């Protein structure tokens, strides 16, 4: 019920607009022009700008155009000078028939703002048609006793011209029996009547012939002729008479073919053949003969062709009843065609704009007019569109409408609208016409690219091959065309010292990320940078996302032995008293691994020994201990080969040689190894002395430099240490050792090593790798603060 009420309210609003617009038409501008028919195309009609009081430039700037109700382009407007010109030759008779004056209605549409002006063009008649008789020979049968003064109706001539150019008079060739008298019917048609001036005598002259001439009023006048033959009939002195001299009939325009229109009836007082009556149409036009027929015996008039109220509203037919002797009587039948609602409304589109940009306000999409050829309520119309569309219909004059946007459109929500304009008349039954248009919405760059994620985390294993594809970022844009084409780029890093452009690159078209060179986990574990996505709209819109690249460790660093030193100098010899108990700590192999995780888990293994079973190496801490009690039978000198292996895949390893000397007590002087003693005995004494002196000086210098570096490091970082750093209580000195290997990377590494004082074993503690150029940090404060040092090494 609510929808029905809303629809009725909408209909009342549209009807009210029609009434108001009709009232406002009295004050609207209009122009009237006149032109003679049959003028050539391009002939001058008048100046529209001067007649309507407009500027010529205004017509051009406002896109003026001339349209007509039947959508035929009979006039053209020259926007350069405002002249109205004929687009084609006009035939007044074809356009208006016998209607006078012949006025054609046009509208001038102008935009910005929308204005509709009415103009009228009167087509003046010229004398281009001669009167024409439908029958070139007329036959009259007149009884010989017909009294003088009798009148005989002749077939009329037809002249398509109107006004002064129409049919004016009739004449006949000179004769002694007849003269012409012109009769004007109520429908203003002129018929010739033959008046008998002298009695006919069958025996004297059985027939007469003369020429009937029809002359129009043009200048110069035109004429048409027909021959009249009069046959004198002997003795029939009663003419047929109709029951009614005038019949009036109303018939709907949708009557079926063959239906009865009217029945006329006449009688004749004569008998025999002279009393037999036949009915015919007299002076009937071609339209009447095509539309109706009459039964010659019964006088029934029936329909033979479809009626159209919009073309012809009424017919006037003269019916002649003729007896067997040639006498006749006449009656007029007027047939009034009644209108029925048989014409659907028509929609004529004057202009349409598609596509229209999104976000535009109150844009005129289409200008159109509606028309219904019916009359009365059958010709009244209402116009509507679906209510769920963001458009509105606005009524103008002369049944013109504009379709406008009601608000802003969003192409991303809906890029196409199928709009159905429904025009319904108020007849019974109601007829309607639907006009469908497809409206496209063009894109405006109002959406920035959007990444599928605000941040991306990518993983790449170190030592990757250059130009390796490590992942992708993706952004989408809801716009279309160039506005949706996304280009990717790397954003400048926050740290200006980070050489981002030499580390990674991005494909500008698809967002694929590539590592430009091999990455080293030990040098760079996490790489964070921003990526941008910008569209190709105007102005361009953009967005950003964060990319975090995590470098995964690979087992690319072999264990490095810190102690005992393997620098090519004299081997370090560990002294072990023969009275040592099983499990006595002989030494400890200290090694580090530049990798992380399980790749840095080290295990120790005794590969070779001078006397197997005498010494053992603990697998997890590298401690070398005695495995049993020592005896006098055990050799004094032992050489141990210890293997240090990480837990990577595949595992990498390093080996170190440890020299052990068994002594009876620590007071026993150091004895050189047999190999060294033999070599010294064979060498030149002076050379031996020089080598010993050089080694001593070098060792002193090296120890001095290492001690100086350790003291400086402790002083510089004492404020930041939780437990503080101090000089070692034992005899172990921190050393910074640079070892060149044969690895695949070129980075320097430092590992923090602490010797915990006050312990029974003086264990080494390997805390963590130290990133170059970062300050050394010691563990938190303990009761026995350890001695901290840094062992640095580089792998080439």
């Amino acid at each position: 019920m609510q929808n029905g009420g809303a629809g009725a309210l909408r209909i009342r609003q549209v009807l009210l607009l029609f009434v108001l617009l009709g009232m406002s038409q009295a004050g609207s501008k209009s122009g009237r022009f006149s032109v003679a028919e049959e003028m050539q195309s391009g002939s001058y009609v008048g100046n529209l700008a001067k007649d309507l009081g407009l500027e010529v430039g205004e017509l051009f700037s406002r896109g003026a155009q001339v349209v007509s109700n039947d959508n035929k382009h009979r006039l053209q407007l020259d926007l350069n000078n405002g002249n109205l010109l004929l687009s084609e030759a006009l035939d007044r008779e074809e356009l208006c028939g016998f209607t006078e004056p012949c006025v054609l209605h046009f509208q001038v549409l102008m935009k910005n703002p929308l204005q509709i002006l009415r103009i009228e063009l009167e087509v003046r008649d010229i004398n281009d048609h001669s009167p024409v008789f439908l029958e070139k020979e007329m036959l009259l049968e007149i009884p010989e006793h017909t009294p003088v003064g009798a009148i005989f109706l002749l077939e009329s001539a037809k002249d398509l011209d109107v006004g002064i150019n129409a049919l004016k008079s009739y004449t006949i060739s000179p004769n002694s029996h007849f003269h012409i008298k012109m009769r004007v019917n109520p429908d203003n048609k002129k018929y010739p009547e033959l008046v008998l001036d002298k009695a006919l005598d069958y025996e004297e002259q059985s027939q007469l012939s003369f020429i009937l001439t029809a002359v129009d009023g043009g200048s110069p006048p035109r004429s048409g002729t027909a021959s009249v033959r009069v046959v004198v009939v002997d003795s029939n002195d009663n003419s047929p008479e109709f029951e009614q001299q005038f019949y009036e009939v109303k018939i709907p325009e949708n009557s079926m073919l063959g239906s009865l229109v009217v029945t006329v009836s006449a009688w004749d007082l004569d008998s025999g053949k002279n009393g037999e009556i036949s009915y015919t149409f007299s002076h009937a036009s071609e339209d009447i003969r095509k539309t109706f027929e009459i039964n010659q015996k019964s006088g029934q008039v029936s329909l033979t062709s479809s009626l159209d109220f919009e073309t012809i509203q009424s017919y006037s037919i003269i019916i002649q009843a003729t007896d067997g002797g040639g006498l006749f009587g006449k009656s007029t039948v007027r047939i009034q065609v009644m209108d029925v609602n048989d014409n659907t409304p028509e929609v004529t589109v004057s202009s349409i704009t598609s596509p229209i940009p999104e976000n535009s306000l109150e844009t005129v999409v289409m200008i159109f007019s509606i028309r219904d050829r019916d009359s009365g309520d059958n010709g009244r119309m209402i116009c509507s569109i679906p209510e769920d569309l963001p458009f509105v219909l606005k009524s103008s004059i002369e049944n013109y409408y504009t379709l406008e946007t009601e608000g802003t459109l969003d192409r991303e929500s809906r890029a196409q609208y199928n709009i159905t304009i429904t025009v319904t008349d108020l007849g019974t039954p109601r007829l309607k016409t639907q006009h469908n248009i497809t409206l496209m919405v063009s894109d405006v760059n109002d959406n920035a690219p959007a990444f599928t994620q605000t941040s991306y985390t990518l993983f790449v294993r170190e030592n990757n091959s250059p130009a390796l594809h490590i992942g992708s970022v993706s952004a989408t844009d809801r716009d279309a065309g160039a506005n949706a084409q996304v280009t990717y780029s790397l954003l400048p890093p926050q740290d200006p010292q980070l050489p981002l452009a030499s580390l990674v690159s991005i494909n500008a078209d698809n967002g694929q990320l590539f590592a430009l060179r091999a990455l080293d986990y030990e040098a760079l574990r996490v790489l964070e940078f921003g990526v941008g996505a910008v569209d190709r709209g105007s102005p361009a819109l953009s967005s950003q996302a964060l990319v975090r690249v995590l470098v995964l460790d690979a087992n690319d660093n072999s264990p490095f032995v810190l102690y005992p030193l393997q620098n090519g100098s004299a081997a370090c010899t560990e002294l072990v008293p023969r009275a040592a108990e099983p499990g006595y700590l002989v030494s400890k192999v200290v090694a580090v691994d530049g990798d992380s995780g399980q790749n840095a888990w080290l295990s120790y293994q005794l590969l070779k020994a001078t006397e197997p079973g005498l010494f053992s190496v603990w697998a997890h801490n590298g401690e070398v201990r005695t495995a049993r009690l020592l005896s006098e039978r055990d050799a004094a000198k032992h050489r141990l080969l210890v293997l240090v292996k990480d837990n990577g895949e595949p595992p990498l390893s390093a080996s170190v040689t440890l020299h052990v000397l068994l002594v009876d007590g620590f007071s026993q002087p150091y004895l050189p190894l047999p190999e060294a003693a033999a070599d010294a005995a064979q060498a030149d004494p002076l050379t031996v002395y020089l080598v010993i002196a050089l080694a001593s000086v070098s060792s002193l210098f090296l120890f001095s430099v290492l001690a100086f570096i350790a003291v400086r490091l402790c002083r510089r970082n004492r404020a930041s240490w939780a437990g503080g750093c101090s000089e070692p209580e034992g005899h172990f000195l921190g050393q910074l050792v640079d070892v060149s290997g044969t690895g695949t990377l070129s980075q320097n590494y430092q590992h923090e090593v602490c010797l915990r004082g006050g312990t029974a074993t003086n264990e080494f503690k390997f805390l963590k790798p130290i990133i170059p150029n970062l300050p050394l940090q010691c563990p938190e404060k303990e009761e026995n603060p350890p001695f901290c040092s840094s062992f640095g090494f580089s792998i080439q």
Side-chain angles (χ1 to χ4, degrees), residues 526-742:
V526 179
L527 176 61
E528 289 186 353
F529 56 90
V531 293
V534 60
D535 58 29
R536 296 184 182 179
S538 179
L541 301 178
S542 62
S543 61
Q544 300 178 3
L546 178 66
V547 177
R548 190 167 186 259
V549 179
L550 300 180
V551 182
L552 303 178
D553 183 44
N555 192 27
D556 57 346
N557 291 283
S558 300
F560 178 75
V561 179
L562 300 176
Y563 184 84
L565 297 177
Q566 303 293 309
N567 55 1
S569 60
C572 179
T573 302
E574 302 291 343
L575 304 179
V576 178
R578 288 186 177 271
E581 297 291 332
Y584 176 82
L585 179 62
V586 177
S587 181
K588 184 171 185 177
V589 178
V590 179
V592 295
D593 194 307
D595 296 319
S596 65
Q598 68 178 12
N599 294 330
W601 297 348
L602 301 181
S603 62
Y604 302 85
Q605 179 183 355
L606 182 61
L607 285 182
K608 292 183 180 179
T610 303
E611 186 174 344
L614 182 57
F615 299 96
S616 64
V617 177
W618 287 22
H620 299 296
N621 57 15
E623 292 180 351
V624 181
R625 297 178 180 268
T626 59
R628 59 177 175 82
L629 289 174
L630 303 178
S631 65
E632 293 296 335
R633 291 178 299 175
D634 293 327
K637 301 172 183 176
H638 295 267
R639 186 173 179 271
L640 307 179
L641 180 61
V642 179
L643 177 69
V644 183
K645 181 173 64 174
D646 61 25
N647 197 37
E649 183 61 38
L652 302 178
S653 62
S655 61
V656 62
T657 302
L658 185 66
H659 296 278
V660 179
L661 181 62
L662 301 182
V663 297
D664 293 333
F666 284 107
S667 60
Q668 180 179 355
Y670 169 72
L671 297 178
L673 293 175
E675 296 85 344
D679 294 340
Q682 297 175 2
D684 182 62
L686 180 58
T687 301
V688 173
Y689 296 150
L690 290 177
V691 172
I692 295 174
L694 182 59
S696 301
V697 173
S698 299
S699 299
L700 288 175
F701 176 77
L702 180 60
F703 288 144
S704 300
V705 171
L706 292 177
F708 175 77
I709 293 174
V711 172
R712 290 296 299 272
L713 288 175
C714 288
R715 289 179 179 177
R716 184 175 62 185
N717 300 299
R718 179 172 295 138
S720 62
W721 291 356
C725 291
S726 61
E727 294 294 328
E729 295 180 1
H731 299 286
F732 180 84
L733 296 179
Q735 301 182 45
L736 185 63
V737 182
D738 190 320
V739 180
S740 297
T742 59

Side-chain angles (χ1 to χ4, degrees), residues 437-449:
I437 63 171
T438 299
L439 179 64
M440 307 301 296
V441 182
S442 60
D443 186 52
V444 174
N445 193 26
D446 56 351
N447 290 278

Side-chain angles (χ1 to χ4, degrees), residues 184-370:
V184 181
N185 270 6
D187 55 0
N188 204 30
K189 288 187 177 181
K190 298 176 180 179
Y191 299 93
E193 293 182 337
L194 192 63
V195 180
L196 183 62
D197 295 331
K198 180 182 177 182
L200 298 175
D201 187 356
Y202 178 82
E203 288 72 20
E204 180 182 352
Q205 190 175 4
S206 60
Q207 67 177 18
L208 299 90
S209 296
F210 46 86
I211 301 299
L212 176 63
T213 302
V215 182
D216 64 19
S219 179
R222 288 174 173 265
S223 62
T225 61
S227 63
V228 179
R229 187 164 62 94
V230 177
V231 176
V232 180
V233 180
D234 190 26
S235 15
N236 183 24
D237 52 359
N238 288 289
S239 299
E241 294 184 10
F242 281 90
E243 293 180 352
Q244 297 176 224
Q245 291 298 313
F246 184 79
Y247 293 85
E248 185 169 7
V249 179
K250 292 183 178 180
I251 180 173
E253 63 174 327
N254 62 346
S255 297
M256 296 180 60
L257 299 182
S259 59
L260 179 64
V261 178
V262 66
T263 300
V264 296
S265 178
W267 68 88
D268 194 315
L269 297 178
D270 294 324
S271 61
K273 184 177 180 180
N274 293 329
E276 295 178 359
I277 300 176
S278 63
Y279 300 91
T280 58
F281 291 146
S282 177
H283 309 292
S285 65
E286 186 176 358
D287 288 336
I288 293 176
R289 295 180 184 274
K290 288 182 178 179
T291 309
F292 304 96
E293 69 176 2
I294 187 169
N295 189 305
Q296 294 184 356
K297 297 298 182 181
S298 63
Q300 292 181 342
V301 178
S302 58
L303 186 65
T304 60
S305 181
S306 299
L307 301 175
D308 187 3
F309 173 84
E310 289 71 36
T311 303
I312 301 177
Q313 288 79 34
S314 64
Y315 296 88
S316 182
I317 306 176
I318 297 177
I319 299 179
Q320 178 176 295
T322 306
D323 60 19
L327 298 182
F328 57 86
K330 295 188 178 182
S331 177
T332 301
V333 177
R334 181 177 178 83
I335 301 174
Q336 184 71 35
V337 181
M338 295 185 298
D339 183 41
V340 295
N341 193 24
D342 59 343
N343 289 280
T344 58
E346 300 174 2
V347 178
T348 303
V349 178
S350 299
S351 67
I352 186 170
T353 303
S354 180
I356 58 175
E358 63 176 333
N359 302 333
S360 55
L361 295 173
E362 296 183 357
T363 302
V364 176
V365 177
M366 186 174 70
I367 303 174
F368 65 96
S369 62
I370 60 176

Side-chain angles (χ1 to χ4, degrees), residues 11-26 380-381 395-397 399 401:
I11 293 174
R12 288 196 295 270
Q13 291 175 348
V14 174
L15 292 177
L16 180 59
L17 283 174
F18 282 153
V19 174
L20 293 177
L21 289 173
M23 296 174 61
S24 65
Q25 289 179 10
R380 296 187 179 95
M381 299 162 289
S395 177
S396 182
I397 63 173
N399 287 339
Y401 284 83

Side-chain angles (χ1 to χ4, degrees), residues 373-448:
R373 297 180 183 271
D374 294 321
S375 61
D377 288 340
N378 297 331
R380 296 187 179 95
M381 299 162 289
I382 56 175
C383 188
S384 63
I385 59 174
E387 296 183 356
D388 59 344
L389 296 178
F391 299 92
V392 63
L393 282 177
K394 292 186 178 180
S395 177
S396 182
I397 63 173
E398 298 283 347
N399 287 339
Y400 271 87
Y401 284 83
T402 59
L403 177 65
E404 302 179 7
T405 57
E406 193 171 23
T408 59
L409 304 180
D410 184 13
R411 189 205 65 82
E412 288 71 37
S413 299
R414 189 168 180 180
Q416 174 179 309
Y417 289 91
N418 293 318
I419 306 174
T420 300
I421 301 174
T422 303
V423 183
T424 307
D425 62 25
L426 302 181
T428 302
R430 293 193 175 189
L431 302 179
K432 69 178 181 179
T433 296
Q434 291 185 332
H435 185 82
N436 299 315
I437 63 171
T438 299
L439 179 64
M440 307 301 296
V441 182
S442 60
D443 186 52
V444 174
N445 193 26
D446 56 351
N447 290 278

